[in-house]
Amino acid sequence: MTRCFDNMESQTEISTIGEFGLIGRITDGIEPKNASTVAGVGDDGAVLRYPDTDVLVSTDLLLEGVHFDLTYVPLKHLGYKAAVVNFSDIYAMNGTPRQITVGLGISSRFTVEHIEELYSGMRLACDIYGVDLVGGDTTASRSGLVISITCIGDADKDKVVFRSGAHDTDLICVSGDLGSAYMGLQLLEREKRVSAGDKDFVPQFEGKEYLIERQLKPEARKDIIAALSSSGIKPTSMMDISDGLSSELLHLCKASDTGCRIYEDRLPVDYQTAAMAEEIGMSAITAALNGGEDYELVFTVPLHCHDTVSKIEGVKVIGHMTGPELGCALITADGGEFPLKAQGFNHMPAADAS
Amino acid sequence: MTRCFDNMESQTEISTIGEFGLIGRITDGIEPKNASTVAGVGDDGAVLRYPDTDVLVSTDLLLEGVHFDLTYVPLKHLGYKAAVVNFSDIYAMNGTPRQITVGLGISSRFTVEHIEELYSGMRLACDIYGVDLVGGDTTASRSGLVISITCIGDADKDKVVFRSGAHDTDLICVSGDLGSAYMGLQLLEREKRVSAGDKDFVPQFEGKEYLIERQLKPEARKDIIAALSSSGIKPTSMMDISDGLSSELLHLCKASDTGCRIYEDRLPVDYQTAAMAEEIGMSAITAALNGGEDYELVFTVPLHCHDTVSKIEGVKVIGHMTGPELGCALITADGGEFPLKAQGFNHMPAADAS
């Protein structure tokens, strides 16, 4: 299987260049892309200038052994994903990500080249999404890799979308398809068990490439935010789907004081997800509802936006909001009604998430 | 010795209330104190509004076993310190801290009450310094406590002070005294070794209370920033002293393309620091130069500010900048000249920090 610690020809111990040498290597050549970035790496803090817009801030902590497994996650992909999932939070507020800061805890088994590889993924994500890396903190870790990213973005004052703005009868929409990242994780975990440390093991991913890509290299839905804007639609509420659709819908309904109905036959599921679900004897709908890390958007729009929102490529109407007294439920193809539960993908127990 | 896991009567497993229950408990009753805080905890991100000022961002990562030892650091103190050291970075840019986000990785031995205790320290720091806690990320950790804090602040556009603005002949000033936090750490480590797991051990801290306080409950020099401002002085360069004076001066000189001379007999050392240094057979000057975590400010001012800056309580002129060709040196009481080295307090090897 892909291993982070294979295939690197010349390796440099971090101790030979020190913390500041390492920071110099990984931040070399970084140039601001955004007008709001006044000064970036190399001081006690970064300086940003946001005269006419609201500033959005989001933070994520990723820990080895909890959020990622370096047995099958290449460091460059990890860096890319760590950055993109933060951009996703800013898009989910209807904003544009502009800057990130990166806190990195590095255990002794990592070399300079490993950290450069990780950073190359973050910098690639920053290049693609037009984001500036403006600072951070690098330290030793006694236990595995720690990645903490804070993303700063902006949105025009009247454009920010909160979780709390949905109303009864609003349409519930999702972008892309759901459950594929979770199936990608199942696939990688299975191949890891099968390979069981065999360095020459070649994993079987044919016909499942999409699932692997969704797990290892997710994208944030910048395109959907742009399409909504150009269609003249401002969602009434929005979140990105990191912990599973059920969990996120429960959040939206709680914050907006609504209930909801979503329809099983409207949930967007890719055929690779459906095939993999069948292969492992799991319901694809369960994966779509509770599998995490899709980083798609779930949002609500007023009923009168039905025709406009339906025309946006990659967006599907899956249900509608209701009064809070009706609770949150999935309507199955045969008309059955099942309450939504947040049994999702949390890295902490979610006892009272509902 | 003080132990975080003693003396807590009723303990609640985090699994019984879940991630969102925990977040609810620790963020309960948080109200914005700053006009720039439009929306805080409870969405994908926080919303801030900074129409007329520059925005400053700084981030710090604190890892158990590297940055703190819960054998002798009470959780409330840890929370307080974790917040304050971030405020210190913003003050070191001549700004005012306004918001923090908190990423927390929690291993299974922590209960709800432990995390509330940690948060109570952060919230106390936020109350005292007028900062809003606006968001974060809470997750499980397989290995010890992880604290990642990002601080956002502001400064009028012409007020931000960088590391790079010092000139030849500028006076070098420091606030407070140096080396005491390092001596506090030595003291705590010694008592830990002596106690060696004896629960009833009573540590001997008489006459050394100041050292313990400097290590466990540092303060950020908000007062010095205010005094400089009311004296009409804008430093030409500034940093906070987290890794030791030598290391920070080397940063200032490198960024400003200068050299420097500081004078041994001008270095501010508290008598408790000097006494403890003698007790353990260490030079107090070494502690002042290389001991970390004092969170005092080192800054430079033009020569003509000498009289004004000397009048500010708690500020001492310790030397001056030179041309870069002269390098960075300490002048001893007998006129000897020793190059400054960054052997400081880094949590990573600092091979080429100079």
Side-chain angles (χ1 to χ4, degrees):
Chain A
M1 297 192 71
T2 311
R3 279 190 192 78
C4 307
F5 297 95
D6 298 345
N7 310 321
M8 288 197 146
E9 286 179 9
S10 72
Q11 295 283 308
T12 312
E13 292 287 332
I14 292 172
S15 58
T16 61
I17 66 169
E19 176 184 4
F20 303 112
L22 177 65
I23 293 171
R25 288 266 289 256
I26 58 188
T27 59
D28 185 46
I30 287 185
E31 294 290 342
K33 292 180 278 282
N34 289 292
S36 55
T37 308
V38 178
V41 289
D43 219 295
D44 293 284
V47 183
L48 316 178
R49 193 164 293 167
Y50 282 105
D52 303 315
T53 60
D54 277 356
V55 184
L56 309 172
V57 180
S58 172
T59 199
D60 262 311
L61 186 60
L62 299 175
L63 305 178
E64 186 176 349
V66 177
H67 301 90
F68 56 88
D69 183 338
L70 292 175
T71 317
Y72 52 72
V73 179
L75 283 163
K76 186 170 180 177
H77 285 71
L78 178 60
Y80 189 88
K81 181 170 174 174
V84 162
V85 304
N86 271 278
F87 305 162
S88 180
D89 279 321
I90 301 295
Y91 289 122
M93 308 279 296
N94 207 28
T96 304
R98 299 291 184 189
Q99 290 94 11
I100 55 170
T101 63
V102 179
L104 219 52
I106 307 169
S107 60
S108 58
R109 75 185 198 282
F110 292 90
T111 63
V112 175
E113 288 75 12
H114 290 138
I115 302 306
E116 285 183 320
E117 192 67 8
L118 179 72
Y119 253 74
S120 73
M122 289 188 207
R123 291 178 63 164
L124 178 62
C126 284
D127 285 346
I128 290 175
Y129 288 86
V131 173
D132 294 320
L133 199 163
V134 295
D137 187 22
T138 305
T139 183
S141 161
R142 292 267 166 97
S143 52
L145 187 62
V146 175
I147 306 172
S148 163
I149 297 191
T150 297
C151 188
I152 299 126
D154 63 5
D156 290 342
K157 285 185 180 60
D158 55 346
K159 288 288 174 62
V160 178
V161 174
F162 296 95
R163 297 179 179 182
S164 53
H167 303 287
D168 184 10
T169 79
D170 280 359
L171 297 172
I172 301 169
C173 309
V174 296
S175 65
D177 65 88
L178 301 177
S180 45
Y182 178 78
M183 282 302 164
L185 180 64
Q186 299 309 307
L187 186 59
L188 287 162
E189 289 281 354
R190 186 176 73 180
E191 296 298 298
K192 179 188 169 189
R193 287 192 301 273
V194 174
S195 77
D198 174 4
K199 273 185 84 164
D200 299 322
F201 177 80
V202 179
Q204 302 298 315
F205 293 153
E206 294 84 37
K208 303 192 174 72
E209 294 82 359
Y210 178 66
L211 305 180
I212 301 298
E213 190 180 323
R214 291 282 286 182
Q215 173 57 226
L216 293 183
K217 193 169 172 289
E219 300 292 348
R221 297 311 303 258
K222 180 182 186 173
D223 56 336
I224 299 293
I225 297 302
L228 285 168
S229 174
S230 63
S231 300
I233 297 176
K234 182 190 169 193
T236 50
S237 71
M238 183 155 55
M239 282 183 76
D240 70 333
I241 305 178
S242 53
D243 291 337
L245 178 64
S246 283
S247 174
E248 316 305 7
L249 272 175
L250 290 169
H251 280 302
L252 288 185
C253 289
K254 189 178 177 187
S256 298
D257 192 28
T258 60
C260 72
R261 293 291 174 274
I262 58 170
Y263 297 88
E264 181 182 6
D265 57 8
R266 302 288 305 164
L267 295 182
V269 174
D270 186 80
Y271 74 96
Q272 288 194 9
T273 305
M276 179 74 188
E278 196 172 325
E279 204 175 313
I280 63 172
M282 182 182 181
S283 153
I285 294 301
T286 303
L289 288 175
N290 298 318
E293 301 197 288
D294 284 319
Y295 299 105
E296 296 295 344
L297 295 168
V298 52
F299 57 92
T300 55
V301 298
L303 201 51
H304 67 77
C305 294
H306 180 274
D307 291 356
T308 319
V309 82
S310 299
K311 279 187 199 123
I312 299 177
E313 203 182 312
V315 169
K316 206 163 169 189
V317 177
I318 61 164
H320 57 83
M321 289 298 193
T322 67
E325 70 285 356
L326 294 182
C328 300
L330 172 79
I331 310 296
T332 57
D334 57 8
E337 193 173 305
F338 293 89
L340 293 180
K341 285 180 187 163
Q343 50 194 320
F345 194 73
N346 266 305
H347 295 291
M348 295 270 288
D352 70 346
S354 56
Chain B
M1 298 192 71
T2 311
R3 280 191 192 79
C4 307
F5 296 96
D6 298 344
N7 308 325
M8 288 195 146
E9 287 180 6
S10 73
Q11 295 283 307
T12 312
E13 293 288 332
I14 291 172
S15 58
T16 61
I17 65 169
E19 176 184 5
F20 303 113
L22 178 65
I23 293 171
R25 289 265 290 254
I26 58 188
T27 59
D28 185 46
I30 287 185
E31 293 291 339
K33 292 179 276 283
N34 289 291
S36 56
T37 307
V38 178
V41 290
D43 219 296
D44 293 284
V47 183
L48 316 178
R49 193 165 293 166
Y50 282 106
D52 303 315
T53 59
D54 277 356
V55 184
L56 308 173
V57 181
S58 172
T59 198
D60 262 310
L61 187 60
L62 300 175
L63 305 178
E64 186 176 350
V66 177
H67 301 90
F68 56 89
D69 183 337
L70 292 176
T71 316
Y72 52 72
V73 179
L75 282 163
K76 186 171 181 178
H77 285 71
L78 178 60
Y80 189 89
K81 181 170 174 174
V84 163
V85 304
N86 270 278
F87 305 162
S88 180
D89 279 322
I90 301 295
Y91 290 122
M93 309 280 295
N94 206 29
T96 305
R98 299 291 186 190
Q99 290 93 11
I100 56 170
T101 62
V102 179
L104 218 53
I106 306 169
S107 61
S108 57
R109 75 185 197 284
F110 291 90
T111 63
V112 174
E113 287 75 12
H114 290 138
I115 303 305
E116 286 183 320
E117 192 67 8
L118 180 72
Y119 254 74
S120 72
M122 291 189 205
R123 291 177 65 166
L124 178 62
C126 284
D127 285 345
I128 290 175
Y129 288 87
V131 172
D132 294 320
L133 200 164
V134 295
D137 187 22
T138 305
T139 183
S141 162
R142 292 269 166 97
S143 51
L145 188 61
V146 175
I147 305 172
S148 163
I149 296 191
T150 297
C151 188
I152 299 126
D154 62 5
D156 290 342
K157 285 185 179 63
D158 55 346
K159 288 286 173 63
V160 179
V161 174
F162 295 95
R163 298 178 179 183
S164 53
H167 303 287
D168 184 10
T169 79
D170 279 359
L171 297 172
I172 301 170
C173 309
V174 296
S175 64
D177 65 88
L178 300 177
S180 46
Y182 177 79
M183 281 303 165
L185 181 65
Q186 299 310 307
L187 186 58
L188 287 163
E189 289 281 353
R190 187 176 74 179
E191 296 297 298
K192 180 188 170 189
R193 286 192 302 273
V194 174
S195 79
D198 175 3
K199 275 186 84 165
D200 299 322
F201 178 80
V202 179
Q204 301 298 314
F205 293 152
E206 294 84 37
K208 303 192 175 75
E209 294 81 0
Y210 178 66
L211 305 179
I212 300 298
E213 190 180 324
R214 291 281 286 180
Q215 172 56 226
L216 293 184
K217 193 169 172 289
E219 300 292 346
R221 297 311 303 258
K222 180 181 187 174
D223 57 334
I224 298 294
I225 297 302
L228 284 167
S229 174
S230 62
S231 301
I233 297 177
K234 182 190 168 191
T236 51
S237 70
M238 182 155 56
M239 280 183 78
D240 70 333
I241 306 178
S242 54
D243 290 337
L245 178 65
S246 283
S247 174
E248 316 306 5
L249 273 174
L250 290 169
H251 280 302
L252 288 185
C253 289
K254 189 178 177 188
S256 298
D257 192 28
T258 60
C260 72
R261 292 291 174 275
I262 58 171
Y263 297 88
E264 181 183 6
D265 56 9
R266 302 287 306 163
L267 295 182
V269 174
D270 185 81
Y271 75 95
Q272 288 195 9
T273 305
M276 178 76 189
E278 196 172 324
E279 203 175 314
I280 64 172
M282 182 182 183
S283 154
I285 294 300
T286 302
L289 288 175
N290 298 318
E293 303 197 286
D294 284 318
Y295 300 104
E296 296 295 343
L297 295 168
V298 53
F299 57 93
T300 54
V301 298
L303 201 50
H304 67 78
C305 295
H306 181 274
D307 291 356
T308 320
V309 83
S310 299
K311 279 186 199 125
I312 299 177
E313 202 182 313
V315 169
K316 206 163 169 189
V317 177
I318 62 164
H320 57 83
M321 289 298 192
T322 68
E325 69 285 357
L326 294 182
C328 300
L330 172 79
I331 310 298
T332 57
D334 58 7
E337 192 173 307
F338 292 89
L340 292 179
K341 284 179 188 166
Q343 50 193 322
F345 194 71
N346 266 305
H347 295 289
M348 296 269 289
D352 70 346
S354 57

